Amino acid sequence: MTGRTTLSPSTVAITAGRPPREPGRPLNTPITPATALVPGGDSEYSRHGNPGWDPFEQILGELEGGHAVSFSSGQAATSAVVDLVPRDGLVVVPRGAYNGTLDLIGERARRGFFRVESVDVDNTPQVVDAMKGASMLWLETPTNPTLLEADLDEICRAARTADTVVVVDNTFATPLRQRPLDHGADVVVHSASKLLSGHSDVLMGAVVARDPRARRTFERRRTRLGATPGSLETYLAARGLRTLHVRLDRAEANAKELHARLSRSRQVVYSRYPGFGTIIAFEVVGGPDAADKVTSMSEIVVHATSLGGVESTWERRRRHAAEPATVPDGLIRLSVGIEDVEDLWADVEQALTGAR
Ligand SMILES: *Cc1c(COP(=O)(O)O)cnc(C)c1O
């Protein structure tokens, strides 16, 4: 052993979730395309468990400081967590957050499964007040795409007295920039389709629980819902996790620089960036029409939805009908990749100028 009691996240990302070091064994757990497995082990059927899921779950669990369960998408993970709300319970949600999450929770509330109340996540007194009597507080911090941040310490402290389960969607920050379980949150949710896998080629999600018994609960829900990831997907997501720290450092350095330059541009009304992570939200002079023009004119930055890949992408979020009206109509969400920052800026600048 190295004698170090806690390894740095960069080392964990590389060393966690490996098969035993035995002669002839591969360094990586192979992809296991199997439905049926020989009885006597952890699982006999791949909806209940597949050995290919272990590396991703072990790496992510260690990075978040909890117990990870993989799902077929971030939305499936969200669904499994929201299913825990008792009938007629109250769920507190952000006023602006990932549209799929608000849609799922809103639809279930309309069908009478539970009640829902919306809050501004950056308004701590409002969140704490709404939490009284709530079964679950759903947080996203920073929020997608408005980048509002919640005070996790204050809110989690209040949640303990209120007996509210605190869930944090940690997709934007990743465990390398924020570990919600350390702040007192009960459950973390991820869209692994974004930064964790990092190459825009995997649809996957995860739930990370502080309590090992909660892990069993989520595994059972995954089985029941049939929200199981494919063995290829968990392989690719684990492979992505191995380089998360390097990709994040580079994309974040790019994002800081682009945010600074956007803030100085005369064509930009404002640029918002939380100071960490890879997402920038900004608006341009000329409103939604100008925003559509700008995003259509880039040559390196891809005009596309989704985020967290090695390639930079941007879009005007409200071009999607499902996007909440709390998101400004002209807001452009820029997901910064790991290209050369000068090439990126030259592209952004020509798009801003060309759209004038
Ligand atoms: C994309 C996203 C989700 C949904 O994840 P999918 O993998 O697309 O199902 C949930 N939360 C946030 C913050 C996201 O960006």
Side-chain angles (χ1 to χ4, degrees), residues 2 4 6-18 21 59 62-63 176 241-242 245-246:
T2 58
R4 280 165 68 90
T6 47
L7 296 174
S8 117
S10 311
T11 310
V12 169
I14 304 301
T15 57
R18 297 283 186 185
R21 287 187 194 178
I59 305 165
E62 279 199 42
L63 289 177
L176 301 187
L241 272 177
R242 301 270 186 230
H245 52 295
V246 184

Coordinates of all heavy atoms in Angstrom, one line a residue, residues 2 4 6-18 21 59 62-63 176 241-242 245-246:
T2 N 0.3 2.3 -0.4 CA 1.0 3.6 -0.6 C 1.2 4.3 0.8 O 2.0 5.2 0.9 CB 0.3 4.6 -1.5 OG1 -1.0 4.8 -0.9 CG2 0.1 4.0 -2.9
R4 N -0.9 6.1 2.1 CA -1.9 7.3 2.1 C -3.3 6.8 2.4 O -3.7 5.8 1.8 CB -1.9 8.0 0.8 CG -0.7 8.9 0.6 CD -0.6 9.3 -0.9 NE -1.7 10.2 -1.3 CZ -1.6 11.5 -1.2 NH1 -0.6 12.1 -0.7 NH2 -2.6 12.2 -1.7
T6 N -6.3 8.5 2.3 CA -7.3 8.8 1.3 C -6.6 9.2 0.0 O -5.7 10.0 0.0 CB -8.2 10.0 1.8 OG1 -7.3 11.0 2.3 CG2 -9.1 9.6 2.8
L7 N -7.0 8.6 -1.0 CA -6.4 8.9 -2.4 C -7.1 10.1 -3.0 O -8.3 10.3 -2.7 CB -6.6 7.7 -3.3 CG -5.9 6.4 -2.9 CD1 -6.3 5.2 -3.8 CD2 -4.4 6.6 -2.9
S8 N -6.4 10.8 -3.8 CA -7.0 12.0 -4.4 C -8.0 11.5 -5.5 O -7.9 10.4 -6.0 CB -5.9 12.8 -5.1 OG -6.1 12.9 -6.4
P9 N -9.1 12.3 -5.8 CA -10.1 11.8 -6.8 C -9.4 11.4 -8.1 O -9.9 10.5 -8.8 CB -11.0 13.1 -7.0 CG -10.8 13.8 -5.7 CD -9.4 13.6 -5.2
S10 N -8.4 12.1 -8.5 CA -7.7 11.7 -9.8 C -7.2 10.3 -9.8 O -7.3 9.6 -10.8 CB -6.5 12.6 -10.1 OG -6.9 14.0 -9.9
T11 N -6.7 9.9 -8.6 CA -6.2 8.5 -8.5 C -7.4 7.5 -8.4 O -7.3 6.5 -9.0 CB -5.3 8.4 -7.2 OG1 -4.3 9.5 -7.3 CG2 -4.6 7.1 -7.2
V12 N -8.4 7.9 -7.6 CA -9.6 7.1 -7.5 C -10.2 6.8 -8.9 O -10.5 5.7 -9.2 CB -10.7 7.7 -6.6 CG1 -12.0 7.0 -6.7 CG2 -10.2 7.8 -5.1
A13 N -10.2 7.9 -9.7 CA -10.8 7.7 -11.1 C -10.1 6.7 -11.9 O -10.7 6.0 -12.7 CB -10.8 9.0 -11.8
I14 N -8.8 6.5 -11.6 CA -8.0 5.5 -12.4 C -8.0 4.2 -11.7 O -8.0 3.1 -12.4 CB -6.5 6.1 -12.5 CG1 -6.5 7.5 -13.1 CG2 -5.7 5.1 -13.3 CD1 -7.1 7.5 -14.5
T15 N -8.0 4.1 -10.4 CA -7.7 2.8 -9.7 C -9.0 2.1 -9.3 O -9.0 0.9 -9.2 CB -6.9 3.0 -8.4 OG1 -7.5 3.9 -7.6 CG2 -5.5 3.5 -8.8
A16 N -10.1 2.8 -9.1 CA -11.3 2.2 -8.6 C -11.9 1.3 -9.7 O -11.7 1.5 -10.9 CB -12.3 3.2 -8.1
G17 N -12.7 0.3 -9.2 CA -13.5 -0.5 -10.2 C -12.7 -1.4 -11.1 O -13.1 -1.6 -12.3
R18 N -11.5 -1.9 -10.7 CA -10.7 -2.7 -11.5 C -10.9 -4.2 -11.1 O -11.1 -4.5 -9.9 CB -9.2 -2.4 -11.3 CG -8.8 -1.0 -11.8 CD -8.7 -0.9 -13.2 NE -8.2 0.5 -13.6 CZ -8.1 0.9 -14.9 NH1 -8.4 0.1 -15.9 NH2 -7.7 2.1 -15.2
R21 N -5.9 -8.0 -9.6 CA -4.7 -8.2 -10.4 C -4.2 -9.6 -10.3 O -3.4 -9.9 -9.4 CB -3.6 -7.2 -9.9 CG -3.9 -5.8 -10.2 CD -2.8 -4.9 -9.8 NE -3.2 -3.5 -9.8 CZ -2.5 -2.5 -9.5 NH1 -1.2 -2.7 -9.1 NH2 -3.0 -1.2 -9.6
I59 N -16.5 3.3 -9.3 CA -15.8 4.6 -9.5 C -16.7 5.7 -9.0 O -16.3 6.6 -8.2 CB -15.4 4.8 -11.0 CG1 -14.6 3.6 -11.5 CG2 -14.5 6.1 -11.1 CD1 -14.4 3.6 -13.1
E62 N -17.3 5.8 -5.2 CA -16.1 6.3 -4.5 C -15.9 7.8 -4.7 O -15.6 8.6 -3.7 CB -14.8 5.6 -4.9 CG -14.7 4.3 -4.2 CD -13.3 3.7 -4.3 OE1 -12.3 4.5 -4.0 OE2 -13.1 2.5 -4.5
L63 N -16.1 8.3 -5.9 CA -16.0 9.8 -6.1 C -17.0 10.6 -5.4 O -16.7 11.7 -4.8 CB -16.0 10.1 -7.6 CG -14.9 9.6 -8.5 CD1 -15.1 9.9 -10.0 CD2 -13.5 10.2 -8.1
L176 N -16.3 15.9 -8.7 CA -15.0 16.6 -8.6 C -15.1 18.1 -8.2 O -14.1 18.7 -7.8 CB -14.2 16.5 -9.9 CG -14.0 15.0 -10.4 CD1 -13.1 15.0 -11.6 CD2 -13.4 14.2 -9.3
L241 N -15.3 8.1 -17.2 CA -15.0 8.5 -15.8 C -13.5 8.5 -15.5 O -13.0 9.3 -14.7 CB -15.7 7.6 -14.8 CG -17.1 7.9 -14.3 CD1 -17.6 6.8 -13.4 CD2 -17.1 9.3 -13.6
R242 N -12.8 7.6 -16.2 CA -11.3 7.5 -16.0 C -10.6 8.8 -16.3 O -9.6 9.2 -15.8 CB -10.7 6.4 -16.8 CG -11.3 5.0 -16.5 CD -10.5 4.3 -15.4 NE -11.0 2.9 -15.3 CZ -11.3 2.4 -14.1 NH1 -11.1 3.2 -13.0 NH2 -11.7 1.2 -14.0
H245 N -11.4 13.9 -14.6 CA -10.6 15.0 -14.0 C -9.8 15.8 -15.0 O -9.7 17.0 -14.9 CB -9.7 14.5 -12.9 CG -8.8 13.3 -13.3 ND1 -9.3 12.1 -13.7 CD2 -7.5 13.2 -13.4 CE1 -8.3 11.3 -13.9 NE2 -7.2 11.9 -13.8
V246 N -9.3 15.1 -16.0 CA -8.4 15.8 -17.0 C -9.3 16.7 -18.0 O -9.1 17.8 -18.3 CB -7.6 14.8 -17.8 CG1 -6.7 15.5 -18.8 CG2 -6.8 13.9 -16.9

